[in-house]
Amino acid sequence: MLPRLPHAPEPAPLYREFLNELRLRGFEGDLTPDHAGRTVLATDNSIYQVMPQAAAFPRTTEDLVRIARVMAEPRFAALRIAPRGGGTGTNGQSLTDGLVVDVSRHMTEVLEINAAEGWVRVQAGVVKDQLNAALEPYGLFFPPELSTSNRATIGGMVSTDASGQGSCLYGKTRDHVLELTTVLLDGTVWTSRALEPDELAEAQGRADRVGAVHRAVDRIQREQADLIARQFPPLNRCLTGYDLAHIRDGQGRFHLNSVLCGSEGTLGLLAEAKLNVLPIPRHAALVNLRYDSFDAALRDARTLMGFSPASIETVDSKVLGLARDDIVWEKVCAFFPDDEGAEDEGRRASGVNLIEFVGDSADKVEAALARLTTALADAGKTAGRRGFTVARGEREVAAVWEMRKKAVGLLGRTQGDKRPIPFVEDTAVPPERLADYIAEFRAALDARGLDYGMFGHVDAGVLHVRPAIDLKDPAQEGLIREVTEEVVRLTRKYGGLLWGEHGKGVRSEFSPAVFGPLYPALQEIKAAFDPRNQLNPGKIATPGSGDLLTVDGVPLRGAHDRAIPADVRVAYDESLHCNGNGACFNWNPDDAMCPSYKATRDRRHSPKGRAALLRDWLRQLAAEGTDPVAEARRLRRASGWASFPWRLRNSLARRRGEPDASHAVKEAMDGCLACKSCVGQCPIKVDIPASRAKFLELYHGRYLRPLRDHVVGSIERMAPLMMRMPGLCNAVVGSALGRAGLRAVGLAATPTLSGLNLARELDLRGVRVATPAALDALDAADRARSVVVVQDAFTSAYETRLVLDLFDLIAGLGFRPWLAPYRPNGKPLHVHGFLGRFERVARANAAMLRELSATGATLVGLDPPMTLTYRAEYAGALDRSELPSVLLVQEWLGRHLDALPTAAEPADYRLLPHCTERTTAAASLPGWQAAFARCGLGLSVLPSGCCGMAGTYGHEAEHRATSERIYGQSWAKHVEEAGATGRLLATGYSCRSQAMLVSGVRLPHPVQVLLRHLGAAA
């Protein structure tokens, strides 16, 4: 049986004392010494894993001052800290075995926008896309572009001097920094900006640390100007951090921000930034040029640069192939067609270049575009070119860039244990030498038998190369050192850099060699800022003789995962391949991913956080000698009553405070809405709801379930009985005693039954219950016109009128509707981890549905998450041959558009899909639009997050407040703007319930609108 897992070691005494002192000094933010909170911060988007001692989440600049002042005390001289923003670094920049200082939770305000002067002031935790959303109404944007822009913080961008697509036009983050407000380790709050000579003299005259810093950097820059010019290569992606080459500009002004940008938190704690912003280009066009080979794409880039585009990005065939299986492909497939007339295996491009033109004038953009497209058309299929397409306008261009942005995550979806990993992925060489450099790079990987994927910024000479290595295999660990040193050699040969974009971090061991005789100057700068080497030590430079981190001297995530037995890794595969890319930290409230993280800003309540906790839990189980796979099999065979006394004893012990590390995992999993947005939007397809169900099954093998779980798990089985006496059920639920009883078991905001008798209403319509015999008795034509509506407990019991409307629509379109016999779907069982019962329910229901489908009739489900259960949860429990085929309503309509009449009066509608439907069945949504368009109706699918109900989550008393907070982040504004018009539609039962509960608005279903217009047309 599942053992009690002892808690992991607590933070070292020095760190506990430090946290206590911070509280005494009035620290207003959050302090996290617990194991779970530390575990989720032990990884970033790199291959490394370092457990911090604790984490601090400052709320204000004053909190940063408190941290600095306490650290300055002699008793805390050995304490180490690392600032952290979005945690998306690929080189371990924010990882530490000390204290994490994370500004992304609370310091997230856009403080001031000055549109007239073109600048903005923000706190360090503001996300890049969040800033641009705030600037958009002013027609402005912050230009450095990143693939992680929806979760990367401004503080992180400054700390790595981040840049990406478009850097040749817009430069790097440093080029847009006007002022930085930094807290130094003596507690000084210092605002750095470009200084005129007299201002520099004033700063140098200060007797504090600010004065020492200015004196040191000024002297180094003056005395070693010739050496600096020789050591810093003249690249778009030049050496960042401690950037002595850009200390003075052409006007002689002193720019200490050039030292701070890219310093990776080794010099101070960044609190605020004042940034230059630019007008948004009003017009854009993107040429998508396909090639026979990736080498041809690289070599052609120099020719393409002659057409003066804003940027040129490249993607190889591996990334394109993975994109084809992602949600993003539906939006971009038309831009990357297979070639006609080619052999099957050669129809797809082996590489593409994406060439963008932007401007304030459509004529200018079109003129620049025409120069290129005319040249491409005249040249034909030369230089390895196959053909091209053009994307125009914001929507089309953004869709292609979204695909390119996903390249990092898509590579993580490569199947097998060998996955492309980042450790040599951001080298920079002169663009004219890129193709030759990459040819040697590929030869080095090929010689070692390594697969890889490539994408990047060919205009800047930066190509992201991720070799596929299984770091769970000890024999492959040595490849990290071997390949890295080979790449260091190649970058030197071609006049480039090992770190061209993503910072140094763990790769700082190469600083002395790259900076050469300048490295002592870097050490002197570090000593001026941080003489005790407390700030992110081991990165970039150390004062005195301190050690730098090495690529094989930091613990690897693969080594931790190695402790989990192979069969257990396979059983929990849906979460164990999380690579830390952080897509689940998406800032955008109008994006479904991830509602619990958006509501809490706590990384434990994110797919990445939950995956990290699950991995740690599985490692602990392995250390205790427990096989969770075998335990799950035992639980599904055993009687729950047999273990009841043991589970009761454990539950009582838990209430008395008995420690068990499993409780922290349970707390994180309880916050999951099971909306499945992670499955659809995570590029790795991390499936937390599936892992959550497996965890809950095992957890409740040791501890008793709350009564609520049993009530929810039985609701589908009880639904037919409740529908036979709706008045009594509603009276009980609505009574004071009933409400008190529901609160006692932890349920809130419970709905009432519709009161309509579904069987009687359908009988009046002549609709029969479908059986294989009844369907087989029809002739072939009638069977082909038969549509069997697969019931779900929630719409049948609580939205009976909508179910009847679906039957009326099917009949009105000339088809014959049938009602499938009622059987539980099982989704509530799966959500709460009753996996044994779920499997039995799924097998019985699937067998019945397959028999109906075998007659030739079409099966259709009304509620999206319940219908999609047949494709997702059923696929995890049954063999492929056992799965039933049940269409979503829009999928069925899409097959029969000709049956739809033109509406009597054109009208425009807006649709809020269920988040499970939006993210895991995105390809089905155009079916609604096509059906409405066929009727002469407009339908726009609104961007939105989760409604917060997500099945049972919003009915659970302890989650009700969070559920409403999630609703308020996105859905509330849409409902307030258009809900009362009757033109705002929703496909999910839970979504319509939430809108009614919170906003008092009853949202129609698209079926009801089509039915109404069908009647009007008749």
Side-chain angles (χ1 to χ4, degrees):
M1 292 185 176
L2 195 73
R4 177 177 63 85
L5 297 176
H7 278 304
E10 292 189 355
L14 178 67
Y15 288 87
R16 293 201 301 271
E17 182 182 354
F18 182 79
L19 296 184
N20 290 336
E21 187 64 31
L22 279 181
R23 291 188 183 98
L24 290 173
R25 301 284 181 95
F27 187 83
E28 297 176 356
D30 307 325
L31 298 172
T32 301
D34 64 272
H35 181 72
R38 295 155 57 201
T39 296
V40 301
L41 295 173
T43 57
D44 56 3
N45 194 16
S46 72
I47 61 176
Y48 301 102
Q49 180 162 339
V50 181
M51 177 68 88
Q53 293 287 333
F57 301 89
R59 197 172 291 276
T60 61
T61 299
E62 186 57 37
D63 271 349
L64 294 175
V65 172
R66 293 181 178 105
I67 290 172
R69 286 178 177 167
V70 175
M71 282 187 70
E73 296 183 6
R75 58 179 166 149
F76 295 116
L79 189 132
R80 301 177 297 277
I81 68 173
R84 184 175 178 123
T88 59
T90 58
N91 296 310
Q93 293 97 320
S94 61
L95 300 185
T96 180
D97 59 359
L99 175 75
V100 171
V101 179
D102 190 334
V103 298
S104 69
R105 182 179 294 182
H106 298 304
M107 297 184 67
T108 59
E109 290 186 34
V110 177
L111 300 169
E112 187 177 0
I113 296 174
N114 190 317
E117 297 181 12
W119 56 262
V120 63
R121 190 166 58 88
V122 301
Q123 290 184 306
V126 167
V127 171
K128 199 260 189 183
D129 280 359
Q130 173 194 358
L131 171 58
N132 278 343
L135 290 169
E136 186 176 14
Y138 300 92
L140 301 170
F141 81 121
F142 180 56
E145 187 54 87
L146 311 175
S147 64
T148 56
S149 60
N150 62 9
R151 63 260 198 204
T153 63
I154 297 300
M157 291 181 67
V158 169
S159 295
T160 57
D161 196 11
S163 63
Q165 175 227 331
S167 64
C168 289
L169 177 64
Y170 294 116
K172 308 178 75 175
T173 297
R174 182 199 65 224
D175 298 306
H176 300 276
V177 170
L178 301 175
E179 296 179 0
L180 296 176
T181 298
T182 304
V183 177
L184 302 180
L185 282 195
D186 62 353
T188 301
V189 180
W190 164 51
T191 298
S192 54
R193 56 183 176 82
L195 300 179
E196 300 291 346
D198 57 333
E199 295 173 314
L200 173 60
E202 182 181 347
Q204 290 175 325
R206 293 176 57 162
D208 59 6
R209 190 163 297 188
V210 173
V213 166
H214 281 81
R215 290 191 295 271
V217 175
D218 180 46
R219 176 177 50 77
I220 290 169
Q221 192 273 332
R222 290 180 181 279
E223 293 177 356
Q224 304 192 49
D226 292 341
L227 181 58
I228 291 168
R230 291 197 301 271
Q231 289 299 126
F232 281 76
L235 297 171
N236 172 262
R237 307 300 175 86
C238 59
L239 277 170
T240 59
Y242 301 49
D243 182 359
L244 297 169
H246 295 88
I247 292 299
R248 282 185 166 83
D249 61 20
Q251 289 76 45
R253 293 183 303 174
F254 185 84
H255 287 265
L256 205 49
N257 288 336
S258 294
V259 170
L260 292 172
C261 289
S263 61
E264 300 181 16
T266 62
L267 303 179
L269 300 172
L270 181 62
E272 294 178 12
K274 182 180 178 181
L275 307 168
N276 172 64
V277 293
L278 300 177
I280 299 172
R282 290 183 292 179
H283 302 278
L286 188 64
V287 177
N288 310 291
L289 182 53
R290 307 185 302 282
Y291 293 87
D292 287 331
S293 69
F294 191 56
D295 182 71
L298 297 182
R299 295 190 183 281
D300 200 27
R302 297 307 300 164
T303 300
L304 299 174
M305 283 299 294
F307 292 89
S308 303
S311 65
I312 305 177
E313 298 284 296
T314 193
V315 174
D316 76 354
S317 57
K318 179 174 285 293
V319 173
L320 283 173
L322 291 166
R324 290 173 187 273
D325 296 324
D326 188 79
I327 188 175
V328 74
W329 191 249
E330 198 67 29
K331 299 178 183 177
V332 302
C333 58
F335 299 113
F336 304 99
D338 294 338
D339 294 331
E340 296 181 4
E343 297 295 330
D344 286 346
E345 62 271 17
R347 293 178 62 204
R348 293 180 175 178
S350 295
V352 298
N353 278 330
L354 311 174
I355 309 109
E356 185 179 35
F357 297 91
V358 300
D360 293 329
S361 163
D363 290 342
K364 288 183 179 179
V365 170
E366 286 298 323
L369 178 66
R371 285 193 293 273
L372 174 59
T373 55
T374 300
L376 293 175
D378 290 344
K381 295 187 176 181
T382 58
R385 298 170 185 158
R386 284 192 166 188
F388 66 91
T389 60
V390 178
R392 286 181 171 85
E394 181 180 358
R395 178 175 297 182
E396 291 186 352
V397 171
V400 178
W401 284 134
E402 181 187 357
M403 183 274 289
R404 160 59 187 88
K405 280 187 173 186
K406 277 196 165 186
V408 173
L410 289 170
L411 283 174
R413 285 189 59 201
T414 303
Q415 296 303 300
D417 287 324
K418 290 185 177 182
R419 301 283 177 116
I421 56 175
F423 66 101
V424 285
E425 72 150 7
D426 62 322
T427 59
V429 299
E432 64 273 13
R433 308 189 72 183
L434 179 62
D436 291 335
Y437 162 71
I438 290 298
E440 283 205 55
F441 195 156
R442 296 179 71 169
L445 298 179
D446 292 340
R448 293 168 173 83
L450 296 177
D451 196 7
Y452 45 85
M454 298 187 177
F455 58 94
H457 325 290
V458 287
D459 53 350
V462 175
L463 203 63
H464 303 304
V465 183
R466 291 196 167 193
I469 299 175
D470 179 12
L471 293 180
K472 298 186 297 298
D473 179 0
Q476 297 185 48
E477 280 188 2
L479 288 169
I480 300 301
R481 165 70 58 188
E482 187 179 325
V483 172
T484 299
E485 292 190 343
E486 177 77 0
V487 173
V488 170
R489 182 188 68 80
L490 288 175
T491 54
R492 287 178 178 170
K493 175 180 177 180
Y494 286 95
L497 291 169
L498 176 65
W499 334 281
E501 185 170 301
H502 296 161
K504 303 170 185 66
V506 169
R507 301 178 299 177
S508 291
E509 65 173 285
F510 300 103
S511 283
V514 172
F515 285 97
L518 267 179
Y519 181 68
L522 270 62
Q523 291 181 292
E524 187 177 347
I525 293 172
K526 170 70 171 176
F529 278 95
D530 179 23
R532 297 195 306 201
N533 199 25
Q534 292 178 284
L535 279 166
N536 216 2
K539 316 280 176 66
I540 305 181
T542 62
S545 58
D547 293 329
L548 291 167
L549 296 177
T550 62
V551 295
D552 51 4
V554 176
L556 299 171
R557 279 194 293 174
H560 287 267
D561 290 343
R562 193 182 305 151
I564 304 172
D567 63 328
V568 176
R569 293 201 301 265
V570 170
Y572 288 84
D573 182 76
E574 63 276 328
S575 291
L576 291 191
H577 283 298
C578 173
N579 66 357
N581 69 80
C584 47
F585 301 146
N586 189 337
W587 161 83
N588 188 356
D590 282 332
D591 190 284
M593 177 84 140
C594 157
S596 54
Y597 171 69
K598 285 188 176 77
T600 62
R601 304 289 290 187
D602 186 335
R603 298 195 190 273
R604 290 175 302 172
H605 293 289
S606 70
K608 178 185 173 183
R610 293 179 179 116
L613 292 175
L614 185 74
R615 293 160 97 152
D616 185 67
W617 179 72
L618 291 173
R619 282 192 292 270
Q620 292 185 66
L621 287 181
E624 294 292 323
T626 299
D627 181 350
V629 178
E631 178 66 8
R633 285 197 298 265
R634 185 195 67 78
L635 287 171
R636 293 176 195 182
R637 292 192 305 265
S639 165
W641 289 109
S643 61
F644 178 82
W646 184 74
R647 289 184 292 126
L648 175 61
R649 183 171 65 251
N650 291 335
S651 298
L652 293 173
R654 178 190 176 185
R655 295 187 68 176
R656 293 194 299 269
E658 178 188 81
D660 185 342
S662 302
H663 299 330
V665 187
K666 171 69 159 50
E667 181 185 356
M669 293 296 184
D670 278 348
C672 172
L673 282 76
C675 69
K676 301 187 76 69
S677 293
C678 52
V679 186
Q681 291 190 294
C682 171
I684 312 300
K685 305 305 178 192
V686 166
D687 187 345
I688 292 301
S691 297
R692 175 182 185 260
K694 293 175 182 178
F695 170 80
L696 290 176
E697 179 182 45
L698 292 177
Y699 183 85
H700 289 301
R702 176 175 177 83
Y703 298 100
L704 290 177
R705 290 180 174 276
L707 180 59
R708 179 187 63 206
D709 284 13
H710 295 284
V711 172
V712 172
S714 300
I715 194 167
E716 285 191 296
R717 186 164 47 84
M718 298 292 293
L721 177 61
M722 294 190 299
M723 285 190 285
R724 284 199 290 270
M725 42 184 173
L728 176 61
C729 291
N730 288 340
V732 170
V733 169
S735 68
L737 183 60
R739 290 194 299 271
L742 290 169
R743 285 196 300 272
V745 300
L747 289 172
T750 50
T752 55
L753 298 164
S754 69
L756 282 173
N757 187 307
L758 179 62
R760 183 169 59 244
E761 292 291 331
L762 290 178
D763 187 56
L764 292 173
R765 289 166 169 78
V767 175
R768 296 171 57 190
V769 174
T771 65
L775 291 167
D776 282 334
L778 301 174
D779 61 33
D782 279 346
R783 281 200 302 273
R785 291 174 50 254
S786 292
V787 179
V788 180
V789 175
V790 180
Q791 297 188 70
D792 67 84
F794 303 101
T795 56
S796 287
Y798 299 104
E799 288 192 315
T800 314
R801 172 55 60 192
L802 172 59
V803 177
L804 295 171
D805 288 340
L806 175 58
F807 278 93
D808 291 343
L809 178 64
I810 293 169
L813 295 179
F815 294 85
R816 182 172 180 178
W818 296 77
L819 178 68
Y822 177 84
R823 281 186 180 273
N825 167 290
K827 185 174 179 68
L829 292 171
H830 190 277
V831 166
H832 291 278
F834 293 98
L835 295 187
R837 285 171 58 188
F838 169 75
E839 186 174 324
R840 293 190 291 274
V841 164
R843 182 160 283 112
N845 192 29
M848 183 266 289
L849 294 175
R850 284 199 319 276
E851 288 181 356
L852 295 176
S853 182
T855 66
T858 301
L859 275 56
V860 174
L862 178 55
D863 193 51
M866 300 295 283
T867 304
L868 292 170
T869 300
Y870 300 123
R871 307 178 194 182
E873 287 83 355
Y874 276 40
L878 308 177
D879 293 334
R880 182 179 296 273
S881 61
E882 297 179 278
L883 298 178
S885 176
V886 184
L887 299 179
L888 296 163
V889 176
Q890 64 268 31
E891 292 172 330
W892 175 76
L893 285 170
R895 298 180 180 185
H896 304 288
L897 294 177
D898 290 345
L900 290 162
T902 301
E905 294 183 9
D908 291 318
Y909 292 88
R910 301 176 183 179
L911 177 64
L912 292 171
H914 191 283
C915 50
T916 304
E917 175 186 30
R918 181 192 293 277
T919 57
T920 66
S924 74
L925 294 178
W928 283 125
Q929 293 173 302
F932 272 59
R934 173 69 183 179
C935 295
L937 304 172
L939 181 69
S940 56
V941 179
L942 295 178
S944 67
C946 180
C947 73
M949 182 61 80
T952 62
Y953 179 89
H955 294 299
E956 295 166 357
E958 71 270 27
H959 295 140
R960 187 62 209 161
T962 305
S963 171
E964 294 191 16
R965 188 180 312 129
I966 292 169
Y967 178 85
Q969 290 179 326
S970 177
W971 271 66
K973 66 182 179 187
H974 294 304
V975 175
E976 288 169 6
E977 289 172 3
T981 66
R983 299 289 178 88
L984 182 64
L985 316 178
T987 57
Y989 161 72
S990 57
C991 307
R992 292 188 296 276
S993 299
Q994 183 82 312
M996 189 66 196
L997 277 167
V998 181
S999 298
V1001 174
R1002 194 176 302 278
L1003 299 180
H1005 189 284
V1007 160
Q1008 294 170 311
V1009 173
L1010 291 174
L1011 178 62
R1012 185 165 66 247
H1013 283 284
L1014 177 64

